[in-house]
Amino acid sequence: MIVPMKKYTFLVYHADYHKFLEELRGLGVVDVVERTKDLDDATRDQLLEQKQISDTIKLLQRRKIEPQDSPLSIADGTDIVEQVRDLITEKENLEQQLLSVNKEVANLEPWGDFSLETLRKLRAADLNVSFYITSSKKYNPEWEKQYNIGVVNAEPPSVYFILVRDTDEQIELDAEEIKTPEHPLSEVIKRRDDIHARISEIGERLDEYAITSVPLLQDSLNKLTTKTDFRRVLTNTSPEAGEKVMMLQGFVPVSGETVLVRFCEERGILYLEGKPEANDKIPVLLKNNRFSKLFEPISKLFSLPSYHELDLTPFFAPFFMMFFGFCLGDAGYGLLILVGATLYKPKANPSFRPYLSLAQFLGVATFIFGVISGTFFGINLIDADIPFLSNVRGYFLDSEKMFYFALVIGAIQIIFGMFVKVFNIIRQHGIAYAISTIGWLVLILGMLGRYALVHYEIIAANEVVMKYAIFGISGVMILLLNDPKVNVFVRLGKGVWDIYGMVTGIFGDLLSYIRLFALGISSAILGLVINNIGLDMLGVPIIGPVIFVLFLTIGHVANILISSLGAFVHPMRLTFVEFYKNAGFSGGGKEYKPFAEKK
């Protein structure tokens, strides 16, 4: 659910305003109304500095070294940011140099090490040393009898050789003459080793910063963020009465009203309380039960709801859990996820534990759907010759039944979404604007109910009164009562367009749920293939059982990872596209961010 907000206006004498803001920041419940998005130069500089510190923290944390509460003896995090940035810049430059040096080493290695001093002495004696490369096929050993040629390296597919001749002697060879190397191999290798050593030193220095400086950097970031927020609040303050009175507006959750009112009354602050206006950009604070709260990070991946509509998190949470289990659909995989998350949860960081709780629920859903479809670590329990399952084998759902089960679940979520849409519209605009959607529910549920009555022979198949009543009532609601603001002819046109969109859309939405069946089948088939290949490996002499265990372990872990990714992404797609659309979700909400000191 969305926590109700109250709008407060504070009027403070200008001489007391800074003290008021500092105390209000300590309270940490007011989300200040942004009167302007323009930032002054000082605020822009602070935001840039915040980004630099934040990027530095992320860079050091990527080194995966546990920080310690023993910061370096530096006044603040700014110096550390500059030093880390200098080290990173130097490291990047060295890595670029290393690419060039490695290429030079590769070019020199076939020639081995040689003395440049010897080459200079030969030139002084009017002798020229030329370096040649040719293919093994083109090299003619007769050249060695005709000219002063020395082969340096003859490993296929190339031949590297040198030619010593008088400076004015012209010789034509079917080979490529290359430029005389400027440095011997030993010198270039030493330069490469020096670069490696310096890169290693920089890495050790960055590790030191990762160990000792992350807490200090985080503290500096919090202080700077608090300072920037203070400046932004000042920017959003409106001077009144010749700048003698400062006016500030903000939104407060109803749960924080008592603290705020007591704060203002104790300090004699004049304030005005009221409901948010229709054109206000009201911040959104979600408050859900322990189960639904686990799915809030998923809903925030798309968008927060607008303040005036329903929070759909509690409504899609059970479906998302169910869809994940349907897509992964293996009792063994579900059991593994559940046990793994449960064992790791006590050791995990408290901020990460909600994600493990979510994994536990998803593991339970996967186990349940694995039992329903009769799949355990890729073993098809329906066809497996397991004696103790003979009495329950008939309760498993085969592929055909799982296909129709996916469509049934999809239909249930779509119809449920339409009910949510009705309540959403009534909440925001009134029941008059929800009549068209109610008409569609009358049509869909009425025809489904009539089909059930005919199927169980409660009414005759050729019965027409109930059918025409359903069509008549729903038709009037859809075609003539869809928009109370316009005349009947416009309503009729909008109703026809709505019928076209609904008929073409609802079948497409329903078919989208086949992906649940398809992903579940693909996961089961891949697990079955892994098992069959593993069984074939049992026939390998001596080491067969070892290969069998290793292959099954690696194969099923890979299948879990790949299938879990699909089992997470596709339910999100069904939620954000099919369910959100049929529930009339608009989104675009602004997250509640109170003016508070960052810690």
Coordinates of all heavy atoms in Angstrom, one line a residue, residues 333 378 521-531 555-556 558-559 562-563:
Y333 N 15.6 -28.8 -8.0 CA 16.2 -27.4 -8.1 C 15.6 -26.5 -7.0 O 16.3 -25.7 -6.4 CB 15.9 -26.8 -9.4 CG 16.6 -27.5 -10.6 CD1 16.4 -27.2 -11.9 CD2 17.6 -28.5 -10.3 CE1 17.0 -27.8 -13.0 CE2 18.3 -29.1 -11.4 CZ 18.0 -28.7 -12.7 OH 18.6 -29.3 -13.7
G378 N 15.7 -33.3 -13.2 CA 15.7 -33.7 -14.6 C 15.1 -35.1 -14.8 O 14.9 -35.6 -15.9
I521 N 9.2 -26.6 -19.6 CA 9.5 -27.8 -20.4 C 11.0 -27.8 -20.8 O 11.7 -28.8 -20.8 CB 8.6 -27.9 -21.7 CG1 7.2 -28.3 -21.3 CG2 9.2 -28.8 -22.7 CD1 7.1 -29.7 -20.8
S522 N 11.5 -26.6 -21.3 CA 12.9 -26.5 -21.7 C 13.8 -26.9 -20.5 O 14.8 -27.5 -20.7 CB 13.2 -25.2 -22.2 OG 13.0 -24.2 -21.2
S523 N 13.5 -26.4 -19.3 CA 14.3 -26.7 -18.2 C 14.3 -28.2 -17.9 O 15.4 -28.8 -17.6 CB 13.8 -25.9 -16.9 OG 14.5 -26.3 -15.8
A524 N 13.1 -28.8 -18.0 CA 13.0 -30.2 -17.7 C 13.8 -31.1 -18.7 O 14.5 -32.0 -18.4 CB 11.6 -30.6 -17.6
I525 N 13.6 -30.7 -20.0 CA 14.3 -31.4 -21.1 C 15.8 -31.3 -20.9 O 16.5 -32.3 -21.1 CB 13.8 -30.9 -22.4 CG1 12.4 -31.3 -22.7 CG2 14.7 -31.4 -23.6 CD1 11.8 -30.7 -24.0
L526 N 16.3 -30.1 -20.6 CA 17.8 -29.9 -20.5 C 18.3 -30.8 -19.3 O 19.3 -31.4 -19.4 CB 18.1 -28.4 -20.3 CG 19.6 -28.1 -20.3 CD1 20.2 -28.5 -21.6 CD2 19.7 -26.6 -20.2
G527 N 17.5 -30.8 -18.2 CA 17.9 -31.6 -17.1 C 17.9 -33.1 -17.5 O 18.8 -33.9 -17.1
L528 N 17.0 -33.6 -18.3 CA 16.9 -34.9 -18.7 C 18.1 -35.3 -19.6 O 18.7 -36.4 -19.5 CB 15.6 -35.2 -19.5 CG 15.3 -36.6 -20.0 CD1 15.2 -37.6 -18.9 CD2 14.1 -36.6 -20.9
V529 N 18.5 -34.4 -20.5 CA 19.6 -34.6 -21.4 C 20.9 -34.7 -20.6 O 21.7 -35.6 -20.9 CB 19.7 -33.4 -22.4 CG1 21.0 -33.5 -23.2 CG2 18.5 -33.5 -23.4
I530 N 21.0 -33.8 -19.6 CA 22.2 -33.9 -18.7 C 22.3 -35.3 -18.0 O 23.4 -35.9 -18.0 CB 22.2 -32.8 -17.7 CG1 22.3 -31.4 -18.3 CG2 23.2 -33.0 -16.6 CD1 22.1 -30.2 -17.4
N531 N 21.2 -35.8 -17.5 CA 21.2 -37.1 -16.9 C 21.5 -38.2 -17.9 O 22.3 -39.1 -17.5 CB 19.8 -37.4 -16.3 CG 19.5 -36.5 -15.1 OD1 20.4 -35.9 -14.5 ND2 18.2 -36.3 -14.8
G555 N 26.6 -29.8 -14.8 CA 25.5 -29.7 -15.8 C 24.2 -29.1 -15.1 O 23.6 -28.2 -15.6
H556 N 23.9 -29.7 -13.9 CA 22.7 -29.2 -13.2 C 22.9 -27.8 -12.6 O 21.9 -27.0 -12.6 CB 22.3 -30.2 -12.2 CG 21.6 -31.4 -12.7 ND1 20.3 -31.3 -13.3 CD2 21.9 -32.7 -12.7 CE1 20.0 -32.6 -13.7 NE2 20.9 -33.4 -13.4
A558 N 24.7 -25.5 -14.0 CA 24.6 -24.6 -15.1 C 23.1 -24.4 -15.5 O 22.6 -23.4 -15.9 CB 25.4 -25.1 -16.3
N559 N 22.4 -25.6 -15.5 CA 21.0 -25.5 -15.9 C 20.2 -24.7 -14.9 O 19.3 -23.9 -15.3 CB 20.4 -27.0 -15.9 CG 19.0 -27.0 -16.5 OD1 18.6 -26.1 -17.3 ND2 18.3 -28.0 -16.2
I562 N 21.0 -20.9 -15.7 CA 20.4 -20.4 -17.0 C 18.9 -20.4 -16.8 O 18.3 -19.4 -17.2 CB 20.8 -21.4 -18.1 CG1 22.3 -21.3 -18.4 CG2 20.1 -21.0 -19.4 CD1 22.9 -22.3 -19.3
S563 N 18.3 -21.4 -16.3 CA 16.9 -21.5 -16.2 C 16.3 -20.5 -15.2 O 15.2 -19.9 -15.4 CB 16.4 -22.9 -15.8 OG 16.8 -23.9 -16.8

